[in-house]
Amino acid sequence: MLAKAVPRPCSGAGRHGAPAARLRSVGVAGGPRRGGAGGRLVAADAGERMPVVAVAAGKQPVNGAAMAGIDKLVTSTVGKSTNILWHDCPIGQFERQKLLNQKGCVVWITGLSGSGKSTLACALSRELHSRGHLTYILDGDNLRHGLNRDLCFEAKDRAENIRRVGEVAKLFADAGLICIASLISPYRSERSACRKLLHNSTFIEVFLNVPLEVCEARDPKGLYKLARAGKIKGFTGIDDPYEPPSDCEIVIQCKAGDCATPKSMADQVVSYLEANEFLQD
């Protein structure tokens, strides 16, 4: 019969009556933190007084009495969110990238409906997977089954759709993954806003430059036919504009009767990733 383990003391004396280790308190030290000026959390031995941090412009201190051992925490207001504080972790993007043997980035595929965005995304993911690299696809239609199912196709909701995808893509890139976003994303301003969320070199815009007549002839979902019949309003390319990129990283050209295979398109993107050291051996 197994003997019961002797319970360890929770407070007061340590093992065999020795004094317990002194509790450490958490406070704020000066220094930069992600997202702008502010403080960073540090630990100190009990009894050691933590320095008071000056409150930066646009930020407010948390009531010091709410948490023992903390003089002041600098919080922020971001959008409609108030009293929030960014917490850093010792395991960051660098450590995750080292573990995965690749650099996190966002491959943002844009183009008209029917241009082959989802096809390219899947071909690219398959090619990178075969080489031992971890990817994740954010497909516009797939996301509207869950994350963005509360959004319609009016201008305001389309903008919010792109904003959400940009924020999620940023998280995947920070996790060290090669995130492949596949969306029409018709407006330059919205794609530019997503680019600004990341370090510029880690946002790779891929433009599938396929003429409208080719996309309409394909019409895989029958949407162009519905738009021409007036049953869909605000359809990109018909009664709503598509603004092609003016300075993207990769352009894949397709003309009637002369379109590259999904594999060759994927290889073009992989070549860019290799040349810019996103794929490490």
Side-chain angles (χ1 to χ4, degrees):
M1 183 173 177
L2 295 176
K4 287 187 178 180
V6 178
R8 298 180 64 180
C10 295
S11 60
R15 182 179 295 181
H16 305 307
R22 299 210 304 172
L23 297 177
R24 292 170 66 81
S25 61
V26 179
V28 180
R33 68 175 179 87
R34 189 177 308 174
R40 56 186 173 83
L41 292 177
V42 297
D45 290 334
E48 179 182 347
R49 180 169 178 78
M50 299 303 301
V52 176
V53 179
V55 179
K59 302 185 179 182
Q60 56 190 24
V62 175
N63 184 352
M67 297 178 65
I70 296 181
D71 288 313
K72 288 185 180 179
L73 290 177
V74 179
T75 63
S76 302
T77 295
V78 180
K80 295 181 180 179
S81 297
T82 59
N83 301 313
I84 57 175
L85 178 71
W86 184 277
H87 288 271
D88 275 315
C89 176
I91 302 300
Q93 185 186 44
F94 175 80
E95 288 77 18
R96 292 186 287 270
Q97 290 180 153
K98 187 176 181 181
L99 181 68
L100 295 170
N101 207 31
Q102 63 186 40
K103 291 183 181 178
C105 64
V106 174
V107 178
W108 191 280
I109 305 172
T110 177
L112 292 169
S113 177
S115 60
K117 299 180 299 300
S118 296
T119 300
L120 170 56
C122 290
L124 177 58
S125 181
R126 185 184 304 112
E127 180 62 27
L128 290 171
H129 180 81
S130 70
R131 297 174 179 229
H133 295 289
L134 188 58
T135 68
Y136 196 86
I137 296 175
L138 297 176
D139 181 86
D141 276 9
N142 289 357
L143 290 169
R144 284 183 177 273
H145 281 76
L147 177 67
N148 294 335
R149 66 182 178 183
D150 59 323
L151 302 176
C152 67
F153 287 91
E154 295 177 357
K156 182 179 179 181
D157 278 8
R158 294 189 78 169
E160 173 62 12
N161 177 59
I162 300 303
R163 188 196 70 81
R164 290 184 191 179
V165 177
E167 291 286 357
V168 174
K170 174 185 175 182
L171 294 176
F172 274 114
D174 185 59
L177 276 68
I178 298 171
C179 180
I180 306 168
S182 170
L183 306 95
I184 294 174
S185 45
Y187 306 123
R188 293 191 193 100
S189 60
E190 292 167 5
R191 297 193 302 266
S192 177
C194 291
R195 180 185 291 273
K196 290 176 182 177
L197 292 173
L198 296 100
H199 299 297
N200 193 50
S201 61
T202 60
F203 186 92
I204 303 156
E205 191 172 12
V206 180
F207 174 35
L208 279 180
N209 190 4
V210 183
L212 175 62
E213 56 269 22
V214 174
C215 295
E216 192 167 357
R218 293 174 176 174
D219 202 10
K221 295 182 282 189
L223 299 179
Y224 282 101
K225 184 177 180 180
L226 293 174
R228 291 294 188 188
K231 296 181 179 180
I232 297 179
K233 301 296 184 182
F235 191 77
T236 303
I238 302 300
D239 56 351
D240 201 65
Y242 176 81
E243 300 172 355
S246 56
D247 190 24
C248 60
E249 282 72 19
I250 302 172
V251 178
I252 297 178
Q253 189 80 37
C254 177
K255 298 179 181 178
D258 183 22
C259 292
T261 64
K263 175 68 165 61
S264 62
M265 291 191 296
D267 287 343
Q268 188 173 338
V269 180
V270 170
S271 294
Y272 179 92
L273 296 174
E274 288 179 326
N276 290 274
E277 300 181 342
F278 286 100
L279 309 181
Q280 303 170 14
D281 297 326

